[in-house]
Amino acid sequence: MTFFSKRDLYFQLFENHQIVELTQFVYFKDHNKETFEFVLDAAEKISTNHLYPLLIEMDRNEPQLINGKIKVHIGMKDIIRRFGEDGWINATFSYEEGGQQLPNVVHQAAGFIFQAANYSASVFPFLTTGAANLIRNFGSRELIERFTPNMYSGKWQGTMALTEPDAGSSLSDLSTTAFPTDNQGIYKIKGQKIYISCGDHDACENIIHLMLARIEGAPLGTKGISLFVVPQKRVPSCKDNDVLTQGIYHKMGYKGAPIAHLMMGTNDSCEGYLVGEPNKGLTYMFQMMNEARVGVGMNACAIGTAAYYASLAYAKERPQGRKLTDKDPSMPQVPIIEHADVKRMLLFQKSVTEGALSLLLYCSKLSDLIHVKNQQEKEDLSLLLDLLTPIAKTYPSEMGCLSTSAAVQVLGGAGYTTDFPVEQYYREARIHPIHEGTTGIHGMDLLGRKVLIKEGKALKLLLGEINKTLEEAYSIPSLLEKGKQLGFYLSVVQKTFGLLIKKSSTNTEAYLADATLFLEIMGIIVISWQWLKQGIVAKKALDENKDPRGFYMGKIMCLRYFFEYELVKVDGLSKRLNSDDQVTIEMKKEWF
Amino acid sequence: MTFFSKRDLYFQLFENHQIVELTQFVYFKDHNKETFEFVLDAAEKISTNHLYPLLIEMDRNEPQLINGKIKVHIGMKDIIRRFGEDGWINATFSYEEGGQQLPNVVHQAAGFIFQAANYSASVFPFLTTGAANLIRNFGSRELIERFTPNMYSGKWQGTMALTEPDAGSSLSDLSTTAFPTDNQGIYKIKGQKIYISCGDHDACENIIHLMLARIEGAPLGTKGISLFVVPQKRVPSCKDNDVLTQGIYHKMGYKGAPIAHLMMGTNDSCEGYLVGEPNKGLTYMFQMMNEARVGVGMNACAIGTAAYYASLAYAKERPQGRKLTDKDPSMPQVPIIEHADVKRMLLFQKSVTEGALSLLLYCSKLSDLIHVKNQQEKEDLSLLLDLLTPIAKTYPSEMGCLSTSAAVQVLGGAGYTTDFPVEQYYREARIHPIHEGTTGIHGMDLLGRKVLIKEGKALKLLLGEINKTLEEAYSIPSLLEKGKQLGFYLSVVQKTFGLLIKKSSTNTEAYLADATLFLEIMGIIVISWQWLKQGIVAKKALDENKDPRGFYMGKIMCLRYFFEYELVKVDGLSKRLNSDDQVTIEMKKEWF
């Protein structure tokens, strides 16, 4: 079963984003195209042999909470052990930390393969990487030595413990409390956390929570939040640390990964270890969250990709109906891929998932460049990445729901049954517009914060990058029209933003009421840009008679599709954003 | 738990569509507003007391095939018996047939309540009505007397048996065969059928299939298809009729209703009884299918409505975050319904579901008028209803997926869990763009057939109706702008259609390639029209100080919402339809 295209992934990495450039930098100097390919081959192997075979089984046999402990699929123990042994969890970290100094963009590309094979299974090691990353970046040497080695090896699970019953989107309302003890750096933790992914399970020996809590007496709001390491079992004593698994959430999809409700300090004996300085927890956590957000975009893109290939295989094989120009019932039926409407649904999926993948790898490469570039360049690249993060999280997530829906539709009745995997992809995709910040939150992040920083410098940087691509397109006759089209819409968006920004100081509510629509527009523009980039690369490859020709033709057709069917959506969206009708603000709750 | 609004349903029936007018006709003369309300009260009672309580249980305990027999939820027996005893199955039929001569529009309104309460449970009696309707309209007196009484009473289940492994969307490729016997009208049936809703279960004593098959030697294609009654047990002997339940489909949602794979004639002893004349089966079946298609739109609308009310209740109660203008963390959080973006998601659901309900009841009333009007009027009304049918089926179905998705999004993480019903609604909604003709098929039906009949007479009739509403809006100052806006988009659509139609004779493939998009545009236009109608009624009510004022204000706000956020989508869609880029036709299957 095909769940991704290696050909496309290589195109993205080596032709479109030219990631081999990274090996010019000292940190990545031991790598080259061959080592990257070796890593991706290894990812494909583990995915094909170990992850994909459990895809459906893990959906059908959900984790269960039994006697206070969550039991997950028996195969997860082996999978996590493999991820640890093969060095996936700390692959991007430095040699001194036992890592491989692998570029993040290659790690993300490998992650894309894992996620396309089995999203639930891929989540376990991914979370551990994020949690370990927080400890190594902000924790004391002592915390690093005590916790990270067993996380890198896959022996222990890492988590991000943020959400509480009264604090989901509103992190400032966290109420989990840390009480100082006589031992410096050690606190007694009391409170509860909900929706904690991999918050408890029996495939690892210990669970290490990176948990936000408020030190007793700390200021209200976001300024009083600190970050703690809270293990399920104390280290090295293995003593129970009073973190109780109060419940497990059963959910629509993404069922293989357990989501826990945790209670800390029921017996007043839950120890937490302060990471970094007090009251800086949210700043630290946001470092991980920003990476995790691009990661969520990748998850959605990967699920959409797997669904696309499942529906493509079906469309090529399933005979049904005849060409409109030849309806003779005595002739055999044609495969449904011959019908324009089915090709439309496949092009939609292909353009959404490959467009998103291009953006996500672009963002991942940015984070590598930020890691190795000098201070001035680092700052600009960081601004650009910060601006793109809500888009890279949201576009693939929102469109992943529609793209997997198109996969279901291609299969028709068969797609609605559990005989094919597309219904599972449809259910799994739905989580992504929700977790790591809902779409609404990211709209506010983009319009309420990111575009305003440094007088809009980030937006200017993005426009500069897009304009570079436009200039290139203008110089290629067959892409001139596409370049002009994107240029036109770019000016529409700039005008729209110009009108909006006038409200930002006088009427905040009106300014932000349609932030979600602004985010949607920016997603379409940015993905159009990524398609124009891909089109330019493909056009050159075609001119050079590179093989396989059909692959590059597919890229050109997708560019055309995206501009014909998706880019034009900016018309309606911008018309709304330019309107003064404040209907969503003026609507009263009593009128619903 | 609120799963629909009786206030809105009454508004639609009595204020918006003025259905009491129907009682002027002889067939409906015994009815009045009070009898209609009595019927709807009864529907609400059975829904609240019997259907809704099983909603989640039926999802969690799917039907199973055990020893060749499908077992459904144990509560279904009682529910079907009630539907029979209370006269729901044949409510619209004549007194002579034991019916109540109830207008179809009231029956559909009652169905809307049932479906909003528990879609799976509502399907059983709904299918029986459709099947019985075919027998009474086209069957012999003998068939009617033999089969329909026990269908009306709920003792027997009726089904529509169309789809085969090689003939889903392409009915012309049916291969189930009927072999003549020495007894006139009796055939031996051989073949298989898949995806047969309620095709077998243990809540009824017999299953009566209305089955399409090809009489041996009949012409190929659609012209050789006949309609048969094929009971699971012969009547009156109760002898097994060689209809084997070969399998059951497990599916993403809509789990309470069993979907069967049937084998007929494995032992050469499956008897089928010809309905009407040979080779006219598809014509007969389309009568039922057209009604069923409006019915599917209603199902989708009902599920969307239940999801809307579930998310509305949550939004009113769930505190999270603060108003943008007052972020003091020491103040309590506000219910999320205070946030503009949440109101946007609620207005989206409200405008989609109430807009769809308005259209569906309009169509249902049309079918009542067709029933009682004279020949000339009947013909025009039939043309109009035929044109609206693909729209009434598809708009609620496609938008139901997005609307239930918005409900999930309002709940955030909670919405993704099985602790709330919205994830179930999301799964259930997804079947509707598939069954009773996929969206693609309906696009072709609309653009490839309906708009062409009688030189576009149906479209002219529709435009005439819309223009009447526009004229009315132009005379109301506060609605003048909305009228103009719809008028503008109507001209956009007419221009677009004018361009398209030129291709219809020269390049069929190009003409129909984007039929789905044309259908989408027509959906938006028609629902905008329904909102303008509702807005006019609401404005008059507000001028007359009718109660409750908030209800009518909600209608005005929804009209504004729909025109601001949905109607503008015609811009992008029409731009695409006006383009000459034939990307979906030119794309080759090798390039994917």
Side-chain angles (χ1 to χ4, degrees):
Chain A
M1 177 60 76
T2 310
F3 48 84
F4 81 110
S5 160
K6 199 172 186 171
R7 182 66 189 83
D8 186 54
L9 190 57
Y10 280 15
F11 168 82
Q12 301 285 4
L13 293 171
F14 302 123
E15 299 178 71
N16 188 20
H17 295 305
Q18 313 233 358
I19 65 157
V20 179
E21 287 175 0
L22 291 170
T23 61
Q24 297 164 6
F25 297 94
V26 176
Y27 190 81
F28 301 124
K29 74 174 166 33
D30 296 340
H31 289 285
N32 53 48
K33 186 159 187 273
E34 286 65 41
T35 62
F36 293 158
E37 289 182 355
F38 181 82
V39 166
L40 297 170
D41 279 346
E44 186 182 16
K45 210 165 286 170
I46 192 171
S47 296
T48 306
N49 298 335
H50 301 280
L51 295 180
Y52 189 78
L54 295 187
L55 172 71
I56 289 173
E57 251 186 64
M58 285 176 64
D59 182 66
R60 306 284 200 278
N61 303 284
E62 283 181 80
Q64 299 292 344
L65 178 60
I66 299 169
N67 297 329
K69 184 76 195 168
I70 293 178
K71 312 269 177 208
V72 293
H73 190 284
I74 196 155
M76 274 316 303
K77 202 166 196 159
D78 175 60
I79 287 174
I80 296 173
R81 187 187 53 76
R82 261 173 217 281
F83 272 105
E85 275 177 12
D86 296 352
W88 289 109
I89 294 170
N90 58 341
T92 58
F93 300 169
S94 68
Y95 295 138
E96 299 84 68
E97 296 168 287
Q100 299 159 47
Q101 302 194 174
L102 188 71
N104 179 40
V105 66
V106 180
H107 198 230
Q108 288 293 329
F112 167 75
I113 304 175
F114 300 143
Q115 294 148 22
N118 184 333
Y119 168 52
S120 288
S122 78
V123 166
F124 295 73
F126 167 86
L127 284 171
T128 303
T129 298
N133 209 4
L134 272 179
I135 302 179
R136 70 186 263 270
N137 277 331
F138 305 109
S140 64
R141 179 128 302 274
E142 200 257 320
L143 283 181
I144 294 171
E145 282 168 10
R146 184 147 37 132
F147 289 103
T148 61
N150 281 327
M151 294 171 81
Y152 297 157
S153 73
K155 210 168 156 189
W156 297 348
Q157 173 71 52
T159 84
M160 287 165 73
L162 285 73
T163 305
E164 297 180 5
D166 296 323
S169 292
S170 176
L171 282 176
S172 63
D173 290 284
L174 288 177
S175 69
T176 292
T177 308
F179 300 91
T181 67
D182 294 341
N183 292 318
Q184 216 204 334
I186 304 184
Y187 292 74
K188 283 274 167 79
I189 308 289
K190 228 177 153 60
Q192 51 179 321
K193 295 283 175 183
I194 59 170
Y195 301 149
I196 306 308
S197 292
C198 298
D200 180 30
H201 65 83
D202 60 345
C204 287
E205 293 174 18
N206 200 357
I207 314 279
I208 312 302
H209 304 290
L210 272 285
M211 189 178 288
L212 293 180
R214 204 178 282 287
I215 295 174
E216 197 189 11
L220 285 175
T222 50
K223 279 174 264 167
I225 296 171
S226 304
L227 179 63
F228 297 86
V229 175
V230 181
Q232 191 178 57
K233 293 177 194 159
R234 290 193 196 159
V235 177
S237 71
C238 260
K239 226 184 101 181
D240 180 276
N241 192 36
D242 195 14
V243 180
L244 203 77
T245 305
Q246 174 75 9
I248 184 168
Y249 295 92
H250 294 291
K251 39 200 194 317
M252 168 159 47
Y254 168 39
K255 293 188 182 186
I259 311 295
H261 178 180
L262 305 176
M263 302 275 288
M264 284 74 62
T266 319
N267 302 312
D268 266 335
S269 60
C270 176
E271 277 190 1
Y273 315 105
L274 182 67
V275 177
E277 293 175 40
N279 299 337
K280 294 213 166 159
L282 214 56
T283 316
Y284 301 153
M285 191 56 100
F286 261 101
Q287 184 232 41
M288 178 152 115
M289 273 165 73
N290 276 329
E291 284 171 18
R293 285 168 168 184
V294 175
V296 167
M298 190 62 94
N299 298 335
C301 172
I303 294 169
T305 300
Y308 165 57
Y309 282 102
S311 69
L312 177 61
Y314 186 89
K316 284 181 175 172
E317 281 169 18
R318 168 74 176 167
Q320 192 76 175
R322 290 166 189 83
K323 300 289 284 182
L324 288 168
T325 44
D326 183 14
K327 307 245 311 155
D328 179 355
S330 69
M331 297 299 289
Q333 302 192 66
V334 301
I336 59 171
I337 200 168
E338 300 286 348
H339 303 309
D341 196 55
V342 173
K343 285 194 275 183
R344 184 185 59 77
M345 292 188 279
L346 292 169
L347 277 165
F348 172 66
Q349 294 177 67
K350 183 175 161 72
S351 69
V352 161
T353 54
E354 294 179 7
L357 182 59
S358 181
L359 172 64
L360 291 158
L361 294 174
Y362 178 82
C363 289
S364 304
K365 187 185 169 192
L366 278 182
S367 74
D368 285 319
L369 291 171
I370 291 165
H371 193 222
V372 294
K373 288 270 192 174
N374 66 40
Q375 195 53 40
Q376 174 54 39
E377 285 181 281
K378 202 190 282 278
E379 203 179 291
D380 282 1
L381 294 171
S382 296
L383 277 172
L384 184 56
L385 180 57
D386 281 353
L387 180 78
L388 287 173
T389 295
I391 299 166
K393 192 273 175 182
T394 305
Y395 182 87
S397 297
E398 287 288 335
M399 297 306 284
C401 295
L402 302 184
S403 171
T404 53
S405 183
V408 170
Q409 193 70 16
V410 167
L411 273 76
Y416 197 67
T417 71
T418 57
D419 298 344
F420 291 86
V422 288
E423 66 86 23
Q424 183 177 341
Y425 295 134
Y426 182 68
R427 290 184 284 110
E428 304 212 330
R430 189 61 190 81
I431 187 61
H432 294 113
I434 297 172
H435 64 181
E436 293 301 333
T438 62
T439 296
I441 294 290
H442 284 283
M444 308 263 274
D445 180 47
L446 180 66
L447 193 59
R449 190 161 41 200
K450 298 291 174 66
V451 298
L452 301 176
I453 293 173
K454 296 205 173 188
E455 290 164 345
K457 187 169 178 196
L459 196 57
K460 279 183 204 115
L461 288 166
L462 176 63
L463 293 174
E465 291 300 312
I466 298 178
N467 275 319
K468 278 185 211 163
T469 306
L470 289 182
E471 289 302 329
E472 212 176 338
Y474 294 153
S475 71
I476 302 171
S478 68
L479 294 177
L480 176 62
E481 277 308 313
K482 297 292 163 206
K484 280 189 189 165
Q485 198 182 339
L486 180 54
F488 165 75
Y489 280 109
L490 209 54
S491 70
V492 169
V493 172
Q494 282 176 279
K495 250 180 251 162
T496 302
F497 180 66
L499 272 174
L500 267 180
I501 196 79
K502 287 184 193 150
K503 298 180 195 161
S504 65
S505 50
T506 54
N507 188 344
T508 317
E509 203 173 5
Y511 174 58
L512 290 177
D514 283 323
T516 300
L517 272 73
F518 182 74
L519 177 58
E520 190 179 347
I521 285 193
M522 288 302 290
I524 296 172
I525 292 287
V526 163
I527 298 297
S528 297
W529 165 46
Q530 293 298 318
W531 268 114
L532 194 58
K533 279 166 75 90
Q534 293 185 67
I536 291 169
V537 177
K539 179 68 179 69
K540 287 180 184 166
L542 286 166
D543 288 347
E544 293 163 16
N545 280 313
K546 272 201 196 170
D547 274 333
R549 191 168 177 79
F551 174 82
Y552 296 107
M553 283 305 298
K555 287 288 178 192
I556 299 288
M557 299 306 275
C558 249
L559 162 63
R560 276 168 60 185
Y561 176 86
F562 201 84
F563 278 51
E564 283 289 312
Y565 290 78
E566 296 299 313
L567 182 51
V568 295
K569 290 180 179 168
V570 174
D571 284 328
L573 288 163
S574 60
K575 192 176 277 186
R576 165 57 206 156
L577 280 171
N578 281 288
S579 163
D580 281 327
D581 187 332
Q582 301 191 11
V583 57
T584 59
I585 295 173
E586 291 168 19
M587 181 70 182
K588 294 196 178 142
K589 62 174 182 287
E590 303 80 26
W591 297 348
F592 279 103
Chain B
M1 176 60 77
T2 310
F3 49 84
F4 82 109
S5 159
K6 199 170 187 174
R7 181 67 188 83
D8 186 54
L9 190 59
Y10 279 15
F11 168 83
Q12 301 285 3
L13 293 171
F14 301 122
E15 300 177 71
N16 187 20
H17 295 305
Q18 313 233 355
I19 64 157
V20 179
E21 287 173 0
L22 291 170
T23 61
Q24 297 163 6
F25 296 94
V26 176
Y27 190 81
F28 301 123
K29 73 174 168 34
D30 296 340
H31 289 284
N32 53 49
K33 188 160 186 269
E34 285 64 41
T35 63
F36 294 157
E37 288 183 356
F38 181 80
V39 165
L40 297 170
D41 279 346
E44 186 182 15
K45 209 166 287 171
I46 191 171
S47 297
T48 306
N49 297 336
H50 301 281
L51 296 179
Y52 189 79
L54 295 188
L55 172 70
I56 289 173
E57 252 187 62
M58 285 177 66
D59 181 66
R60 306 284 201 278
N61 303 283
E62 283 181 80
Q64 299 293 342
L65 178 60
I66 298 168
N67 298 328
K69 186 76 196 168
I70 293 178
K71 311 268 177 209
V72 294
H73 190 284
I74 196 154
M76 276 315 303
K77 203 166 194 157
D78 173 61
I79 287 173
I80 296 173
R81 187 187 52 76
R82 260 174 219 281
F83 272 104
E85 275 177 10
D86 295 354
W88 290 110
I89 294 171
N90 59 340
T92 59
F93 301 169
S94 67
Y95 296 139
E96 300 84 68
E97 296 168 288
Q100 299 159 48
Q101 302 194 172
L102 188 70
N104 179 41
V105 65
V106 180
H107 198 231
Q108 289 292 329
F112 167 76
I113 303 175
F114 300 144
Q115 295 148 22
N118 183 333
Y119 169 51
S120 288
S122 77
V123 166
F124 294 73
F126 167 85
L127 284 169
T128 304
T129 299
N133 208 4
L134 271 178
I135 301 178
R136 69 187 264 268
N137 277 329
F138 305 108
S140 64
R141 180 127 304 274
E142 200 256 321
L143 283 181
I144 294 171
E145 280 168 11
R146 189 155 22 140
F147 290 103
T148 60
N150 281 327
M151 295 172 80
Y152 297 157
S153 73
K155 209 169 157 188
W156 297 348
Q157 174 71 53
T159 85
M160 288 164 72
L162 286 72
T163 305
E164 297 181 5
D166 296 322
S169 292
S170 176
L171 281 175
S172 62
D173 290 283
L174 288 178
S175 69
T176 292
T177 308
F179 300 91
T181 67
D182 294 341
N183 293 319
Q184 216 204 332
I186 303 185
Y187 292 73
K188 283 272 166 81
I189 309 288
K190 228 178 154 58
Q192 52 180 322
K193 295 282 175 184
I194 61 172
Y195 301 148
I196 306 308
S197 292
C198 299
D200 180 31
H201 64 82
D202 60 345
C204 287
E205 292 175 18
N206 200 359
I207 315 279
I208 313 303
H209 303 290
L210 272 286
M211 189 178 288
L212 294 180
R214 202 178 284 288
I215 294 173
E216 196 187 14
L220 285 174
T222 50
K223 279 173 265 167
I225 297 172
S226 303
L227 179 64
F228 297 86
V229 174
V230 182
Q232 191 179 56
K233 294 178 193 157
R234 290 192 196 160
V235 178
S237 72
C238 258
K239 225 185 100 181
D240 180 274
N241 193 35
D242 195 13
V243 180
L244 204 76
T245 305
Q246 174 74 10
I248 183 169
Y249 294 92
H250 293 291
K251 34 198 198 319
M252 168 159 47
Y254 169 39
K255 293 188 181 186
I259 311 295
H261 177 178
L262 304 176
M263 303 275 288
M264 284 74 61
T266 318
N267 303 310
D268 267 334
S269 60
C270 176
E271 277 190 0
Y273 314 105
L274 183 67
V275 177
E277 293 175 40
N279 300 335
K280 295 213 167 159
L282 215 55
T283 316
Y284 301 154
M285 191 56 98
F286 262 100
Q287 184 232 41
M288 178 153 112
M289 273 165 72
N290 276 330
E291 282 171 19
R293 285 168 168 185
V294 176
V296 166
M298 191 62 95
N299 298 335
C301 172
I303 294 169
T305 300
Y308 164 57
Y309 283 102
S311 69
L312 178 61
Y314 186 89
K316 284 181 175 171
E317 281 169 16
R318 167 75 177 166
Q320 192 77 174
R322 290 167 188 81
K323 299 291 282 183
L324 288 166
T325 43
D326 182 15
K327 308 250 300 160
D328 178 356
S330 69
M331 297 300 289
Q333 302 192 67
V334 301
I336 60 172
I337 200 167
E338 300 287 347
H339 304 308
D341 196 55
V342 173
K343 284 193 276 183
R344 184 185 58 78
M345 293 188 279
L346 292 169
L347 277 165
F348 172 67
Q349 295 177 67
K350 181 175 163 73
S351 71
V352 161
T353 53
E354 294 178 7
L357 183 60
S358 181
L359 172 64
L360 290 157
L361 294 174
Y362 179 83
C363 289
S364 304
K365 186 184 170 193
L366 278 181
S367 74
D368 285 319
L369 291 172
I370 290 166
H371 193 220
V372 295
K373 288 272 191 173
N374 66 41
Q375 196 53 40
Q376 175 53 41
E377 286 180 280
K378 201 190 283 279
E379 203 180 293
D380 282 1
L381 294 171
S382 295
L383 278 171
L384 184 58
L385 179 57
D386 281 353
L387 181 78
L388 286 174
T389 295
I391 299 167
K393 191 271 177 185
T394 305
Y395 181 87
S397 297
E398 286 288 336
M399 297 308 284
C401 295
L402 302 184
S403 170
T404 53
S405 184
V408 170
Q409 194 69 16
V410 168
L411 273 76
Y416 196 68
T417 71
T418 57
D419 298 344
F420 292 87
V422 287
E423 67 86 24
Q424 181 176 342
Y425 296 134
Y426 182 68
R427 289 183 285 109
E428 304 212 330
R430 189 61 192 78
I431 186 60
H432 294 112
I434 296 172
H435 65 181
E436 291 302 333
T438 62
T439 297
I441 294 290
H442 284 283
M444 310 262 274
D445 181 47
L446 180 66
L447 192 60
R449 190 161 42 201
K450 298 291 175 65
V451 297
L452 302 176
I453 293 172
K454 297 207 172 185
E455 292 164 343
K457 187 168 179 197
L459 196 56
K460 280 186 204 112
L461 289 166
L462 175 62
L463 293 175
E465 291 301 312
I466 297 178
N467 276 319
K468 278 186 212 161
T469 307
L470 289 182
E471 289 302 328
E472 211 176 339
Y474 295 153
S475 72
I476 302 171
S478 68
L479 293 177
L480 176 63
E481 277 309 312
K482 297 293 162 205
K484 280 189 186 165
Q485 196 183 340
L486 180 55
F488 165 76
Y489 280 109
L490 210 55
S491 70
V492 168
V493 172
Q494 281 175 280
K495 250 180 250 163
T496 302
F497 180 66
L499 272 173
L500 267 180
I501 196 81
K502 287 184 191 150
K503 299 180 193 161
S504 65
S505 50
T506 55
N507 188 346
T508 318
E509 204 174 4
Y511 175 58
L512 290 178
D514 284 322
T516 301
L517 271 72
F518 183 74
L519 176 58
E520 189 178 346
I521 285 193
M522 289 301 291
I524 296 171
I525 292 288
V526 164
I527 299 297
S528 296
W529 165 45
Q530 293 299 318
W531 269 113
L532 195 57
K533 280 165 74 91
Q534 292 184 68
I536 291 168
V537 177
K539 178 70 179 69
K540 287 180 184 165
L542 285 166
D543 288 348
E544 293 163 15
N545 280 315
K546 271 202 197 170
D547 274 333
R549 190 168 177 79
F551 173 83
Y552 295 107
M553 282 306 298
K555 288 287 177 191
I556 299 288
M557 298 307 275
C558 248
L559 162 63
R560 276 169 59 184
Y561 176 86
F562 200 84
F563 278 51
E564 283 289 312
Y565 289 79
E566 295 300 312
L567 181 51
V568 294
K569 289 180 179 168
V570 173
D571 284 328
L573 287 163
S574 61
K575 192 176 276 186
R576 164 58 206 156
L577 280 171
N578 280 288
S579 163
D580 281 327
D581 186 333
Q582 300 191 12
V583 57
T584 59
I585 295 172
E586 291 168 20
M587 181 70 182
K588 294 196 176 141
K589 62 173 181 287
E590 304 78 27
W591 297 347
F592 279 103

